[in-house]
Amino acid sequence: MEWRRSARARRVSLRIDPRDGAVVVTLPPRTGRTAGMALLMNHADWVAERLAALPGHIPFAPGAVVPVHGIDHRIVHIGGRGGVWVDGRAIMVAGEPEFLARRVADFLRAEARRRLSILVADKAEAAGVRPSRVSVKDTRSRWGSCAANRALAFSWRLVMAPRFVQDYVAAHEVAHLRHMNHGPRFWALVQDLTSHTDAAVAWLRDEGPRLLRIG
C-alpha cells in the first residue's frame, strides 16, 4: 500500500495503481492515516476485486510477448554485439543479457518519440498550431498532456497501443494547443484531426491498464 499526501485533496481517496499493482491512499494535508485505513476497510471487497482483475506483469525478458503498435512481438535475445531492432514479429536484442530489459525499454521509448513526433507535426500543421516541444515520459495516470508553455508530453507506453489510439491521443493534445479546455470547440477540433475518438477512448479504457503492466 502507498500513502500520498496532497495539498489539493479535499477528501480521502482510494485508487489502484495498475502499473505497480498497489493500493494508493491520498490524504488531505491535515487528515491522519486513521481516516485512510477506515476508507480502505470499508472498500476492502472493491480493492480485492480490482487487484484480482489486474493483468499479470510482463517483464522485458527473453520469450516475453510485447505489443508494438498494437501487434504482438516476441523478445529474442541473440547475444553478440549490436542494438535492438524489429524483425517480422520479433524484437531482436543483442548484447549481454543483464542489459536486455533496459535496451528494450530504450528502444520502445525511442520508437514512441519518433512515431508521436510525426503524428504531432502532421496534426499541428493541419490545426495551424506549433508545440514548443514534444517528449515522452513514463506517466502513470495520463496518456498525454499539454503544458501552459505549449510543450506536449506523452506516455512512451503508447508505442504498444494500436496506431489508431496513438492517432487519437496526438490529436487530443494538439487540439489543446488551441483550446486549453474540453469545451465544444476543443472536441470539434479533435474530430477534425482524427476519426478514431470513440474507438480509441474505448480501447484505452479497456486495454490501457494492460500496457502499464508491461516492462
Side-chain angles (χ1 to χ4, degrees):
M1 188 168 66
E2 182 177 342
W3 295 91
R4 295 183 184 177
R5 196 168 294 278
S6 171
R8 301 173 60 183
R10 296 189 176 184
R11 60 183 178 82
V12 180
S13 64
L14 180 67
R15 70 179 182 87
I16 305 298
D17 183 344
R19 178 180 166 188
D20 296 332
V23 181
V24 180
V25 181
T26 301
L27 303 173
R30 298 182 181 181
T31 302
R33 290 193 177 188
T34 302
M37 288 302 299
L39 181 66
L40 182 62
M41 295 303 294
N42 288 337
H43 292 81
D45 291 343
W46 177 87
V47 169
E49 290 174 1
R50 288 300 182 94
L51 289 175
L54 284 176
H57 176 237
I58 300 175
F60 291 146
V65 175
V66 175
V68 180
H69 303 308
I71 300 172
D72 284 345
H73 289 67
R74 188 173 299 277
I75 296 175
V76 177
H77 180 236
I78 60 172
R81 293 186 177 183
V84 181
W85 67 96
V86 170
D87 183 3
R89 293 200 174 185
I91 301 174
M92 311 299 293
V93 188
E96 298 299 322
E98 60 265 32
F99 301 125
L100 181 142
R102 178 179 59 80
R103 301 191 84 182
V104 172
D106 289 346
F107 169 78
L108 292 176
R109 284 174 181 265
E111 177 62 14
R113 187 179 299 107
R114 183 197 68 80
R115 168 69 175 161
L116 290 163
S117 293
I118 291 172
L119 287 172
V120 166
D122 289 346
K123 295 183 185 303
E125 181 178 3
V129 296
R130 179 179 296 179
S132 61
R133 182 166 56 92
V134 178
S135 62
V136 295
K137 300 180 179 180
D138 194 7
T139 55
R140 292 173 180 263
S141 59
R142 303 178 71 178
W143 296 109
S145 63
C146 177
N149 66 356
R150 306 180 68 78
L152 302 185
F154 298 92
S155 168
W156 70 264
R157 295 172 185 276
L158 283 168
V159 75
M160 297 185 284
R163 292 181 184 272
F164 74 88
V165 175
Q166 300 166 5
D167 190 85
Y168 161 71
V169 177
H172 187 111
E173 300 311 328
V174 166
H176 276 313
L177 293 172
R178 187 174 293 281
H179 305 291
M180 287 295 286
N181 54 58
H182 288 99
R185 289 190 297 174
F186 165 81
W187 286 112
L189 180 55
V190 172
Q191 291 300 102
D192 288 341
L193 296 175
T194 182
S195 60
H196 304 298
T197 298
D198 291 343
V201 169
W203 193 96
L204 288 170
R205 181 192 64 232
D206 297 338
E207 303 293 337
R210 182 170 65 94
L211 302 186
L212 299 174
R213 301 288 288 162
I214 301 175

